[in-house]
Amino acid sequence: YKIYLKSNNEEIKNVKSEDELRDKIGLYSVGTHTESFTLNEIGSTGFGYKDDEAYAYIDYTLLDSKNNVYEMKYIISDGSSALNLTKGKKYDVTFEVVKDTIGYDFYIKSVK
């Protein structure tokens, strides 16, 4: 198979892992990243389980400079509360990308 970037029709060659491919095509790879996003939507509180421990979270929908949509979770833990953010405002978001069994999850670490 051959893979080409949609933006400039450049062929992607010599990638040896999914993370390398994600980097080449402009998707976030596993790890911690900081980028500027515009807050598009604030979800309601949800509940999840990880390693047999329950946690509460809020989903935030963010847009990057190319209007790509990202849904990120902010885990409410140790007495913290929801982020005090305003829809439509631009923020610098530090987030972690984690590979899950189905795809990738995005977790907000901090917002400035």
Side-chain angles (χ1 to χ4, degrees):
Y1 294 97
K2 290 186 177 186
I3 300 172
Y4 295 89
L5 288 175
K6 189 175 181 178
S7 60
N8 62 9
N9 210 29
E10 176 186 336
E11 184 178 359
I12 297 174
K13 297 180 181 180
N14 301 323
V15 292
K16 294 179 176 57
S17 70
E18 185 177 349
D19 282 339
E20 284 183 27
L21 178 61
R22 290 177 69 82
D23 287 338
K24 289 261 188 183
I25 61 177
L27 297 174
Y28 294 106
S29 57
V30 170
T32 303
H33 309 272
T34 300
E35 297 289 340
S36 290
F37 293 96
T38 301
L39 178 61
N40 191 48
E41 187 177 325
I42 301 171
S44 56
T45 302
F47 300 94
Y49 289 92
K50 185 173 183 176
D51 300 328
D52 293 329
E53 289 192 30
Y55 62 88
Y57 65 88
I58 295 179
D59 282 327
Y60 292 88
T61 304
L62 304 157
L63 300 174
D64 68 9
S65 61
K66 297 176 185 173
N67 283 330
N68 294 318
V69 177
Y70 294 89
E71 186 175 288
M72 298 187 186
K73 287 184 178 357
Y74 176 71
I75 296 177
I76 303 168
S77 62
D78 299 331
S80 65
S81 60
L83 298 169
N84 187 17
L85 305 178
T86 305
K87 285 173 58 173
K89 189 172 177 186
K90 190 173 225 170
Y91 295 97
D92 290 329
V93 179
T94 298
F95 59 98
E96 182 178 14
V97 179
V98 177
K99 189 169 184 175
D100 197 3
T101 53
I102 296 174
Y104 291 82
D105 290 327
F106 294 72
Y107 294 100
I108 295 173
K109 298 298 199 180
S110 66
V111 177
K112 293 181 183 177

